[in-house]
C-alpha cells in the first residue's frame, strides 16, 4: 500500500535542529491542566494522550507552560472522571494551589514515552515534514495538526506563491508514506483539494 519515495540528501535529518527542523523535544505533553477539582488540590486535566492509563505507570510528572523548562512533581494518584484525568500531586493540597497551575502542560520525559506501534507517530515527528505528491510535486511543509472528531488534518504551508495553505486529511489513501529519516510525507490528493 505504501509507495517508496526518493530520498533527499542525507543533510535533511530530522530532529537535529538544523536545516529548519526543530530539535527533538526532551518532554512530551500528555495532558493540560484546565482547572481544579474539589477542595483538596486535585488537578483537572484534559488528556493529550491516547492511553490515559499511562498515568498509573508514572511516579512523577513534569509541569510547565509551553516553551518553559518544566519542573518535576511527585504523582500521588490519578483517576479518570468524565473524560478527563484527575491528578493529585505532592505539594498541591488545596483548590487555590491547583487553580494556580491552570494552563500548565503535564509532561513526561521523551525517554519514558510509551513505545508506538508501527505506523504511529508523535506529533513532533510529523510537524516540519516536507509534503510531496506521488507525482513528485512539492506542496510545502507541515506546520500544524488540527484534531477533528474523525481524523487529524495536516496544515501545509505552500512551497510557492500559488500554494498558500493546504489542509490534508491524515487518512489512508491520502497519506501514502511517512519517511521520518528523509523528512518527507508523500500524499495522493483527492480531486479538487487544491
Amino acid at each position: 500500500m505504501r509507495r517508496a519515495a526518493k530520498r533527499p540528501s542525507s543533510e535533511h535529518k530530522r530532529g537535529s535542529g538544523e536545516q529548519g527542523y526543530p530539535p527533538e523535544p526532551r518532554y512530551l505533553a500528555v495532558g493540560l491542566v484546565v482547572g481544579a477539582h474539589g477542595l483538596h488540590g486535585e488537578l483537572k486535566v484534559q488528556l493529550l494522550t491516547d492511553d490515559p492509563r499511562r498515568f498509573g505507570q508514572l511516579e512523577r510528572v513534569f509541569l510547565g507552560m509551553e516553551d518553559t523548562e518544566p519542573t518535576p512533581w511527585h504523582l500521588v494518584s490519578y483517576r479518570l472522571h468524565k473524560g478527563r484525568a484527575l491528578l493529585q500531586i505532592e505539594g498541591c493540597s488545596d483548590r487555590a494551589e491547583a487553580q494556580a497551575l491552570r494552563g500548565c502542560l503535564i509532561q513526561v520525559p521523551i525517554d519514558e514515552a510509551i513505545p508506538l506501534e508501527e505506523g504511529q507517530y508523535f506529533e513532533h515527528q510529523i510537524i516540519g515534514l516536507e509534503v510531496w505528491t506521488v507525482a513528485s510535486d512539492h506542496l510545502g511543509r507541515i506546520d500544524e495538526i488540527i484534531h477533528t472528531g474523525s481524523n487529524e488534518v495536516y496544515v501545509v504551508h505552500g512551497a510557492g506563491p500559488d500554494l498558500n495553505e493546504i489542509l490534508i486529511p491524515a487518512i489512508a489513501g491520502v497519506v501514502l508514506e511517512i519517511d521520518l529519516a528523509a523528512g518527507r510525507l508523500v500524499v495522493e490528493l483527492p480531486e479538487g483539494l487544491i
Side-chain angles (χ1 to χ4, degrees), residues 37-71:
H37 180 80
L39 302 174
H40 302 291
E42 272 188 306
L43 304 176
K44 184 173 14 175
V45 176
Q46 175 185 338
L47 297 169
L48 302 177
T49 177
D50 292 336
D51 187 1
R53 296 170 299 168
R54 75 165 347 278
F55 290 108
Q57 302 166 2
L58 300 173
E59 292 183 16
R60 67 183 175 153
V61 292
F62 292 77
L63 274 75
M65 301 302 253
E66 194 169 341
D67 298 327
T68 64
E69 186 68 22
T71 55

PDB file of all heavy atoms in Angstrom, residues 37-71:
ATOM      1  N   HIS A  37     -10.210  20.431  40.764  1.00  0.00           N
ATOM      2  CA  HIS A  37     -11.374  19.592  41.033  1.00  0.00           C
ATOM      3  C   HIS A  37     -11.475  19.416  42.543  1.00  0.00           C
ATOM      4  O   HIS A  37     -10.546  18.920  43.177  1.00  0.00           O
ATOM      5  CB  HIS A  37     -11.235  18.233  40.344  1.00  0.00           C
ATOM      6  CG  HIS A  37     -12.395  17.329  40.578  1.00  0.00           C
ATOM      7  ND1 HIS A  37     -13.574  17.435  39.881  1.00  0.00           N
ATOM      8  CD2 HIS A  37     -12.569  16.314  41.463  1.00  0.00           C
ATOM      9  CE1 HIS A  37     -14.418  16.511  40.299  1.00  0.00           C
ATOM     10  NE2 HIS A  37     -13.834  15.821  41.268  1.00  0.00           N
ATOM     11  N   GLY A  38     -12.554  19.838  43.102  1.00  0.00           N
ATOM     12  CA  GLY A  38     -12.740  19.698  44.545  1.00  0.00           C
ATOM     13  C   GLY A  38     -11.929  20.704  45.340  1.00  0.00           C
ATOM     14  O   GLY A  38     -11.417  21.685  44.798  1.00  0.00           O
ATOM     15  N   LEU A  39     -11.801  20.430  46.628  1.00  0.00           N
ATOM     16  CA  LEU A  39     -11.155  21.364  47.544  1.00  0.00           C
ATOM     17  C   LEU A  39      -9.746  20.951  47.969  1.00  0.00           C
ATOM     18  O   LEU A  39      -9.068  21.702  48.659  1.00  0.00           O
ATOM     19  CB  LEU A  39     -12.025  21.524  48.808  1.00  0.00           C
ATOM     20  CG  LEU A  39     -13.452  22.008  48.578  1.00  0.00           C
ATOM     21  CD1 LEU A  39     -14.243  21.978  49.874  1.00  0.00           C
ATOM     22  CD2 LEU A  39     -13.434  23.396  47.973  1.00  0.00           C
ATOM     23  N   HIS A  40      -9.307  19.759  47.566  1.00  0.00           N
ATOM     24  CA  HIS A  40      -8.065  19.215  48.104  1.00  0.00           C
ATOM     25  C   HIS A  40      -6.894  19.209  47.123  1.00  0.00           C
ATOM     26  O   HIS A  40      -5.957  18.439  47.270  1.00  0.00           O
ATOM     27  CB  HIS A  40      -8.315  17.812  48.658  1.00  0.00           C
ATOM     28  CG  HIS A  40      -9.374  17.792  49.720  1.00  0.00           C
ATOM     29  ND1 HIS A  40      -9.195  18.347  50.963  1.00  0.00           N
ATOM     30  CD2 HIS A  40     -10.653  17.327  49.697  1.00  0.00           C
ATOM     31  CE1 HIS A  40     -10.299  18.212  51.670  1.00  0.00           C
ATOM     32  NE2 HIS A  40     -11.206  17.597  50.917  1.00  0.00           N
ATOM     33  N   GLY A  41      -6.951  20.055  46.098  1.00  0.00           N
ATOM     34  CA  GLY A  41      -5.800  20.243  45.226  1.00  0.00           C
ATOM     35  C   GLY A  41      -5.691  19.297  44.048  1.00  0.00           C
ATOM     36  O   GLY A  41      -4.638  19.230  43.411  1.00  0.00           O
ATOM     37  N   GLU A  42      -6.757  18.582  43.740  1.00  0.00           N
ATOM     38  CA  GLU A  42      -6.691  17.729  42.548  1.00  0.00           C
ATOM     39  C   GLU A  42      -6.694  18.600  41.303  1.00  0.00           C
ATOM     40  O   GLU A  42      -7.406  19.601  41.211  1.00  0.00           O
ATOM     41  CB  GLU A  42      -7.901  16.789  42.474  1.00  0.00           C
ATOM     42  CG  GLU A  42      -7.713  15.494  43.199  1.00  0.00           C
ATOM     43  CD  GLU A  42      -8.857  14.538  42.936  1.00  0.00           C
ATOM     44  OE1 GLU A  42     -10.024  14.933  43.145  1.00  0.00           O
ATOM     45  OE2 GLU A  42      -8.579  13.397  42.525  1.00  0.00           O
ATOM     46  N   LEU A  43      -5.882  18.202  40.318  1.00  0.00           N
ATOM     47  CA  LEU A  43      -5.808  18.905  39.045  1.00  0.00           C
ATOM     48  C   LEU A  43      -6.765  18.250  38.059  1.00  0.00           C
ATOM     49  O   LEU A  43      -6.738  17.030  37.876  1.00  0.00           O
ATOM     50  CB  LEU A  43      -4.390  18.845  38.476  1.00  0.00           C
ATOM     51  CG  LEU A  43      -3.261  19.357  39.356  1.00  0.00           C
ATOM     52  CD1 LEU A  43      -1.925  19.126  38.664  1.00  0.00           C
ATOM     53  CD2 LEU A  43      -3.449  20.818  39.693  1.00  0.00           C
ATOM     54  N   LYS A  44      -7.586  19.054  37.399  1.00  0.00           N
ATOM     55  CA  LYS A  44      -8.454  18.554  36.324  1.00  0.00           C
ATOM     56  C   LYS A  44      -7.653  18.687  35.039  1.00  0.00           C
ATOM     57  O   LYS A  44      -7.221  19.784  34.679  1.00  0.00           O
ATOM     58  CB  LYS A  44      -9.748  19.352  36.253  1.00  0.00           C
ATOM     59  CG  LYS A  44     -10.717  18.812  35.233  1.00  0.00           C
ATOM     60  CD  LYS A  44     -12.101  19.444  35.210  1.00  0.00           C
ATOM     61  CE  LYS A  44     -12.283  20.709  35.950  1.00  0.00           C
ATOM     62  NZ  LYS A  44     -13.625  21.303  35.779  1.00  0.00           N
ATOM     63  N   VAL A  45      -7.441  17.571  34.332  1.00  0.00           N
ATOM     64  CA  VAL A  45      -6.508  17.520  33.209  1.00  0.00           C
ATOM     65  C   VAL A  45      -7.198  17.060  31.931  1.00  0.00           C
ATOM     66  O   VAL A  45      -7.824  15.993  31.899  1.00  0.00           O
ATOM     67  CB  VAL A  45      -5.322  16.580  33.537  1.00  0.00           C
ATOM     68  CG1 VAL A  45      -4.390  16.426  32.352  1.00  0.00           C
ATOM     69  CG2 VAL A  45      -4.566  17.088  34.761  1.00  0.00           C
ATOM     70  N   GLN A  46      -7.084  17.890  30.890  1.00  0.00           N
ATOM     71  CA  GLN A  46      -7.513  17.483  29.552  1.00  0.00           C
ATOM     72  C   GLN A  46      -6.469  16.524  29.020  1.00  0.00           C
ATOM     73  O   GLN A  46      -5.267  16.818  29.033  1.00  0.00           O
ATOM     74  CB  GLN A  46      -7.602  18.705  28.643  1.00  0.00           C
ATOM     75  CG  GLN A  46      -7.925  18.374  27.211  1.00  0.00           C
ATOM     76  CD  GLN A  46      -7.888  19.620  26.335  1.00  0.00           C
ATOM     77  OE1 GLN A  46      -8.015  20.741  26.802  1.00  0.00           O
ATOM     78  NE2 GLN A  46      -7.683  19.407  25.053  1.00  0.00           N
ATOM     79  N   LEU A  47      -6.893  15.365  28.550  1.00  0.00           N
ATOM     80  CA  LEU A  47      -5.964  14.337  28.082  1.00  0.00           C
ATOM     81  C   LEU A  47      -5.386  14.685  26.716  1.00  0.00           C
ATOM     82  O   LEU A  47      -6.111  15.056  25.804  1.00  0.00           O
ATOM     83  CB  LEU A  47      -6.665  12.981  28.024  1.00  0.00           C
ATOM     84  CG  LEU A  47      -7.145  12.449  29.372  1.00  0.00           C
ATOM     85  CD1 LEU A  47      -8.041  11.253  29.181  1.00  0.00           C
ATOM     86  CD2 LEU A  47      -5.960  12.119  30.266  1.00  0.00           C
ATOM     87  N   LEU A  48      -4.080  14.544  26.600  1.00  0.00           N
ATOM     88  CA  LEU A  48      -3.386  14.703  25.320  1.00  0.00           C
ATOM     89  C   LEU A  48      -2.665  13.415  24.957  1.00  0.00           C
ATOM     90  O   LEU A  48      -1.723  13.423  24.179  1.00  0.00           O
ATOM     91  CB  LEU A  48      -2.375  15.864  25.411  1.00  0.00           C
ATOM     92  CG  LEU A  48      -2.934  17.229  25.784  1.00  0.00           C
ATOM     93  CD1 LEU A  48      -1.812  18.241  25.901  1.00  0.00           C
ATOM     94  CD2 LEU A  48      -3.979  17.680  24.768  1.00  0.00           C
ATOM     95  N   THR A  49      -3.094  12.325  25.531  1.00  0.00           N
ATOM     96  CA  THR A  49      -2.514  11.013  25.278  1.00  0.00           C
ATOM     97  C   THR A  49      -3.625  10.066  24.852  1.00  0.00           C
ATOM     98  O   THR A  49      -4.778  10.233  25.262  1.00  0.00           O
ATOM     99  CB  THR A  49      -1.787  10.463  26.528  1.00  0.00           C
ATOM    100  OG1 THR A  49      -1.291   9.153  26.258  1.00  0.00           O
ATOM    101  CG2 THR A  49      -2.704  10.396  27.737  1.00  0.00           C
ATOM    102  N   ASP A  50      -3.276   9.101  24.025  1.00  0.00           N
ATOM    103  CA  ASP A  50      -4.254   8.102  23.592  1.00  0.00           C
ATOM    104  C   ASP A  50      -4.509   7.062  24.675  1.00  0.00           C
ATOM    105  O   ASP A  50      -5.487   6.325  24.603  1.00  0.00           O
ATOM    106  CB  ASP A  50      -3.778   7.401  22.321  1.00  0.00           C
ATOM    107  CG  ASP A  50      -3.772   8.329  21.129  1.00  0.00           C
ATOM    108  OD1 ASP A  50      -4.521   9.321  21.131  1.00  0.00           O
ATOM    109  OD2 ASP A  50      -2.999   8.071  20.179  1.00  0.00           O
ATOM    110  N   ASP A  51      -3.616   6.964  25.667  1.00  0.00           N
ATOM    111  CA  ASP A  51      -3.737   5.944  26.700  1.00  0.00           C
ATOM    112  C   ASP A  51      -3.663   6.585  28.084  1.00  0.00           C
ATOM    113  O   ASP A  51      -2.592   6.711  28.664  1.00  0.00           O
ATOM    114  CB  ASP A  51      -2.622   4.909  26.543  1.00  0.00           C
ATOM    115  CG  ASP A  51      -2.797   3.724  27.476  1.00  0.00           C
ATOM    116  OD1 ASP A  51      -3.790   3.680  28.234  1.00  0.00           O
ATOM    117  OD2 ASP A  51      -1.928   2.835  27.455  1.00  0.00           O
ATOM    118  N   PRO A  52      -4.798   7.017  28.635  1.00  0.00           N
ATOM    119  CA  PRO A  52      -4.772   7.685  29.936  1.00  0.00           C
ATOM    120  C   PRO A  52      -4.316   6.780  31.082  1.00  0.00           C
ATOM    121  O   PRO A  52      -3.913   7.269  32.134  1.00  0.00           O
ATOM    122  CB  PRO A  52      -6.218   8.146  30.138  1.00  0.00           C
ATOM    123  CG  PRO A  52      -7.033   7.324  29.224  1.00  0.00           C
ATOM    124  CD  PRO A  52      -6.144   6.945  28.075  1.00  0.00           C
ATOM    125  N   ARG A  53      -4.336   5.467  30.868  1.00  0.00           N
ATOM    126  CA  ARG A  53      -3.865   4.553  31.916  1.00  0.00           C
ATOM    127  C   ARG A  53      -2.370   4.706  32.165  1.00  0.00           C
ATOM    128  O   ARG A  53      -1.862   4.244  33.163  1.00  0.00           O
ATOM    129  CB  ARG A  53      -4.194   3.109  31.540  1.00  0.00           C
ATOM    130  CG  ARG A  53      -5.692   2.847  31.471  1.00  0.00           C
ATOM    131  CD  ARG A  53      -5.986   1.521  30.872  1.00  0.00           C
ATOM    132  NE  ARG A  53      -5.441   1.538  29.512  1.00  0.00           N
ATOM    133  CZ  ARG A  53      -5.302   0.479  28.734  1.00  0.00           C
ATOM    134  NH1 ARG A  53      -5.666  -0.690  29.161  1.00  0.00           N
ATOM    135  NH2 ARG A  53      -4.810   0.589  27.527  1.00  0.00           N
ATOM    136  N   ARG A  54      -1.694   5.446  31.254  1.00  0.00           N
ATOM    137  CA  ARG A  54      -0.254   5.644  31.413  1.00  0.00           C
ATOM    138  C   ARG A  54       0.067   6.363  32.710  1.00  0.00           C
ATOM    139  O   ARG A  54       1.133   6.203  33.268  1.00  0.00           O
ATOM    140  CB  ARG A  54       0.309   6.401  30.216  1.00  0.00           C
ATOM    141  CG  ARG A  54      -0.034   7.878  30.225  1.00  0.00           C
ATOM    142  CD  ARG A  54       0.772   8.746  29.289  1.00  0.00           C
ATOM    143  NE  ARG A  54       1.952   8.251  28.664  1.00  0.00           N
ATOM    144  CZ  ARG A  54       3.159   8.210  29.247  1.00  0.00           C
ATOM    145  NH1 ARG A  54       3.316   8.622  30.458  1.00  0.00           N
ATOM    146  NH2 ARG A  54       4.188   7.757  28.574  1.00  0.00           N
ATOM    147  N   PHE A  55      -0.885   7.161  33.242  1.00  0.00           N
ATOM    148  CA  PHE A  55      -0.643   7.872  34.497  1.00  0.00           C
ATOM    149  C   PHE A  55      -0.416   6.896  35.644  1.00  0.00           C
ATOM    150  O   PHE A  55       0.291   7.204  36.593  1.00  0.00           O
ATOM    151  CB  PHE A  55      -1.807   8.824  34.824  1.00  0.00           C
ATOM    152  CG  PHE A  55      -1.881  10.014  33.909  1.00  0.00           C
ATOM    153  CD1 PHE A  55      -2.887  10.110  32.966  1.00  0.00           C
ATOM    154  CD2 PHE A  55      -0.936  11.028  33.989  1.00  0.00           C
ATOM    155  CE1 PHE A  55      -2.954  11.204  32.125  1.00  0.00           C
ATOM    156  CE2 PHE A  55      -0.998  12.119  33.142  1.00  0.00           C
ATOM    157  CZ  PHE A  55      -2.001  12.211  32.212  1.00  0.00           C
ATOM    158  N   GLY A  56      -1.003   5.711  35.559  1.00  0.00           N
ATOM    159  CA  GLY A  56      -0.813   4.700  36.587  1.00  0.00           C
ATOM    160  C   GLY A  56       0.590   4.133  36.615  1.00  0.00           C
ATOM    161  O   GLY A  56       0.993   3.501  37.588  1.00  0.00           O
ATOM    162  N   GLN A  57       1.369   4.360  35.568  1.00  0.00           N
ATOM    163  CA  GLN A  57       2.746   3.863  35.490  1.00  0.00           C
ATOM    164  C   GLN A  57       3.769   4.918  35.909  1.00  0.00           C
ATOM    165  O   GLN A  57       4.952   4.643  35.948  1.00  0.00           O
ATOM    166  CB  GLN A  57       3.054   3.415  34.059  1.00  0.00           C
ATOM    167  CG  GLN A  57       2.119   2.353  33.544  1.00  0.00           C
ATOM    168  CD  GLN A  57       2.222   2.180  32.031  1.00  0.00           C
ATOM    169  OE1 GLN A  57       3.017   2.823  31.370  1.00  0.00           O
ATOM    170  NE2 GLN A  57       1.398   1.307  31.486  1.00  0.00           N
ATOM    171  N   LEU A  58       3.294   6.111  36.202  1.00  0.00           N
ATOM    172  CA  LEU A  58       4.209   7.216  36.488  1.00  0.00           C
ATOM    173  C   LEU A  58       4.326   7.476  37.984  1.00  0.00           C
ATOM    174  O   LEU A  58       3.332   7.434  38.708  1.00  0.00           O
ATOM    175  CB  LEU A  58       3.725   8.490  35.800  1.00  0.00           C
ATOM    176  CG  LEU A  58       3.619   8.450  34.280  1.00  0.00           C
ATOM    177  CD1 LEU A  58       2.952   9.727  33.768  1.00  0.00           C
ATOM    178  CD2 LEU A  58       4.991   8.281  33.666  1.00  0.00           C
ATOM    179  N   GLU A  59       5.538   7.781  38.421  1.00  0.00           N
ATOM    180  CA  GLU A  59       5.755   8.211  39.799  1.00  0.00           C
ATOM    181  C   GLU A  59       5.891   9.723  39.872  1.00  0.00           C
ATOM    182  O   GLU A  59       5.685  10.314  40.924  1.00  0.00           O
ATOM    183  CB  GLU A  59       7.014   7.554  40.370  1.00  0.00           C
ATOM    184  CG  GLU A  59       6.867   6.061  40.548  1.00  0.00           C
ATOM    185  CD  GLU A  59       8.098   5.442  41.181  1.00  0.00           C
ATOM    186  OE1 GLU A  59       8.933   6.188  41.744  1.00  0.00           O
ATOM    187  OE2 GLU A  59       8.214   4.214  41.109  1.00  0.00           O
ATOM    188  N   ARG A  60       6.250  10.343  38.751  1.00  0.00           N
ATOM    189  CA  ARG A  60       6.395  11.793  38.706  1.00  0.00           C
ATOM    190  C   ARG A  60       5.954  12.295  37.343  1.00  0.00           C
ATOM    191  O   ARG A  60       5.986  11.570  36.354  1.00  0.00           O
ATOM    192  CB  ARG A  60       7.838  12.224  38.978  1.00  0.00           C
ATOM    193  CG  ARG A  60       8.765  11.788  37.892  1.00  0.00           C
ATOM    194  CD  ARG A  60      10.197  12.122  38.160  1.00  0.00           C
ATOM    195  NE  ARG A  60      10.945  11.509  37.057  1.00  0.00           N
ATOM    196  CZ  ARG A  60      12.073  11.926  36.610  1.00  0.00           C
ATOM    197  NH1 ARG A  60      12.647  12.949  37.173  1.00  0.00           N
ATOM    198  NH2 ARG A  60      12.664  11.328  35.611  1.00  0.00           N
ATOM    199  N   VAL A  61       5.533  13.539  37.347  1.00  0.00           N
ATOM    200  CA  VAL A  61       5.194  14.244  36.117  1.00  0.00           C
ATOM    201  C   VAL A  61       5.912  15.583  36.150  1.00  0.00           C
ATOM    202  O   VAL A  61       6.368  16.029  37.198  1.00  0.00           O
ATOM    203  CB  VAL A  61       3.663  14.451  35.963  1.00  0.00           C
ATOM    204  CG1 VAL A  61       2.953  13.127  35.749  1.00  0.00           C
ATOM    205  CG2 VAL A  61       3.083  15.197  37.145  1.00  0.00           C
ATOM    206  N   PHE A  62       6.015  16.191  34.996  1.00  0.00           N
ATOM    207  CA  PHE A  62       6.677  17.485  34.890  1.00  0.00           C
ATOM    208  C   PHE A  62       5.640  18.502  34.451  1.00  0.00           C
ATOM    209  O   PHE A  62       4.923  18.268  33.488  1.00  0.00           O
ATOM    210  CB  PHE A  62       7.823  17.408  33.880  1.00  0.00           C
ATOM    211  CG  PHE A  62       8.963  16.545  34.355  1.00  0.00           C
ATOM    212  CD1 PHE A  62       8.878  15.163  34.323  1.00  0.00           C
ATOM    213  CD2 PHE A  62      10.121  17.127  34.841  1.00  0.00           C
ATOM    214  CE1 PHE A  62       9.924  14.374  34.773  1.00  0.00           C
ATOM    215  CE2 PHE A  62      11.173  16.345  35.291  1.00  0.00           C
ATOM    216  CZ  PHE A  62      11.072  14.962  35.255  1.00  0.00           C
ATOM    217  N   LEU A  63       5.555  19.614  35.163  1.00  0.00           N
ATOM    218  CA  LEU A  63       4.586  20.651  34.845  1.00  0.00           C
ATOM    219  C   LEU A  63       5.299  21.916  34.410  1.00  0.00           C
ATOM    220  O   LEU A  63       6.320  22.289  35.002  1.00  0.00           O
ATOM    221  CB  LEU A  63       3.707  20.980  36.057  1.00  0.00           C
ATOM    222  CG  LEU A  63       2.476  20.098  36.254  1.00  0.00           C
ATOM    223  CD1 LEU A  63       2.863  18.740  36.780  1.00  0.00           C
ATOM    224  CD2 LEU A  63       1.510  20.764  37.173  1.00  0.00           C
ATOM    225  N   GLY A  64       4.773  22.537  33.387  1.00  0.00           N
ATOM    226  CA  GLY A  64       5.322  23.800  32.926  1.00  0.00           C
ATOM    227  C   GLY A  64       4.492  24.352  31.785  1.00  0.00           C
ATOM    228  O   GLY A  64       3.749  23.628  31.134  1.00  0.00           O
ATOM    229  N   MET A  65       4.631  25.630  31.570  1.00  0.00           N
ATOM    230  CA  MET A  65       3.969  26.272  30.443  1.00  0.00           C
ATOM    231  C   MET A  65       4.748  25.918  29.175  1.00  0.00           C
ATOM    232  O   MET A  65       5.913  25.540  29.232  1.00  0.00           O
ATOM    233  CB  MET A  65       3.930  27.786  30.628  1.00  0.00           C
ATOM    234  CG  MET A  65       3.205  28.217  31.888  1.00  0.00           C
ATOM    235  SD  MET A  65       1.529  27.634  31.943  1.00  0.00           S
ATOM    236  CE  MET A  65       0.673  29.139  31.646  1.00  0.00           C
ATOM    237  N   GLU A  66       4.089  26.065  28.031  1.00  0.00           N
ATOM    238  CA  GLU A  66       4.750  25.785  26.757  1.00  0.00           C
ATOM    239  C   GLU A  66       5.979  26.681  26.620  1.00  0.00           C
ATOM    240  O   GLU A  66       5.945  27.845  26.998  1.00  0.00           O
ATOM    241  CB  GLU A  66       3.775  26.045  25.614  1.00  0.00           C
ATOM    242  CG  GLU A  66       4.251  25.479  24.305  1.00  0.00           C
ATOM    243  CD  GLU A  66       3.166  25.500  23.243  1.00  0.00           C
ATOM    244  OE1 GLU A  66       1.981  25.611  23.593  1.00  0.00           O
ATOM    245  OE2 GLU A  66       3.523  25.404  22.071  1.00  0.00           O
ATOM    246  N   ASP A  67       7.071  26.134  26.120  1.00  0.00           N
ATOM    247  CA  ASP A  67       8.331  26.846  25.894  1.00  0.00           C
ATOM    248  C   ASP A  67       9.038  27.259  27.180  1.00  0.00           C
ATOM    249  O   ASP A  67       9.846  28.185  27.170  1.00  0.00           O
ATOM    250  CB  ASP A  67       8.135  28.068  24.983  1.00  0.00           C
ATOM    251  CG  ASP A  67       7.647  27.670  23.597  1.00  0.00           C
ATOM    252  OD1 ASP A  67       8.034  26.584  23.133  1.00  0.00           O
ATOM    253  OD2 ASP A  67       6.870  28.431  22.999  1.00  0.00           O
ATOM    254  N   THR A  68       8.721  26.615  28.304  1.00  0.00           N
ATOM    255  CA  THR A  68       9.482  26.831  29.532  1.00  0.00           C
ATOM    256  C   THR A  68       9.960  25.481  30.046  1.00  0.00           C
ATOM    257  O   THR A  68       9.370  24.441  29.726  1.00  0.00           O
ATOM    258  CB  THR A  68       8.646  27.516  30.637  1.00  0.00           C
ATOM    259  OG1 THR A  68       7.575  26.653  31.006  1.00  0.00           O
ATOM    260  CG2 THR A  68       8.111  28.868  30.186  1.00  0.00           C
ATOM    261  N   GLU A  69      10.993  25.486  30.823  1.00  0.00           N
ATOM    262  CA  GLU A  69      11.524  24.244  31.396  1.00  0.00           C
ATOM    263  C   GLU A  69      10.544  23.746  32.467  1.00  0.00           C
ATOM    264  O   GLU A  69      10.252  24.452  33.429  1.00  0.00           O
ATOM    265  CB  GLU A  69      12.903  24.502  32.007  1.00  0.00           C
ATOM    266  CG  GLU A  69      13.602  23.270  32.494  1.00  0.00           C
ATOM    267  CD  GLU A  69      14.029  22.304  31.393  1.00  0.00           C
ATOM    268  OE1 GLU A  69      14.169  22.734  30.224  1.00  0.00           O
ATOM    269  OE2 GLU A  69      14.206  21.122  31.702  1.00  0.00           O
ATOM    270  N   PRO A  70      10.019  22.532  32.315  1.00  0.00           N
ATOM    271  CA  PRO A  70       9.066  22.022  33.296  1.00  0.00           C
ATOM    272  C   PRO A  70       9.761  21.602  34.596  1.00  0.00           C
ATOM    273  O   PRO A  70      10.948  21.302  34.603  1.00  0.00           O
ATOM    274  CB  PRO A  70       8.439  20.819  32.590  1.00  0.00           C
ATOM    275  CG  PRO A  70       9.480  20.367  31.630  1.00  0.00           C
ATOM    276  CD  PRO A  70      10.233  21.595  31.209  1.00  0.00           C
ATOM    277  N   THR A  71       8.991  21.587  35.683  1.00  0.00           N
ATOM    278  CA  THR A  71       9.521  21.164  36.976  1.00  0.00           C
ATOM    279  C   THR A  71       8.878  19.840  37.379  1.00  0.00           C
ATOM    280  O   THR A  71       7.698  19.603  37.108  1.00  0.00           O
ATOM    281  CB  THR A  71       9.250  22.221  38.063  1.00  0.00           C
ATOM    282  OG1 THR A  71       7.851  22.493  38.106  1.00  0.00           O
ATOM    283  CG2 THR A  71       9.992  23.510  37.770  1.00  0.00           C
TER     284      THR A  71
END
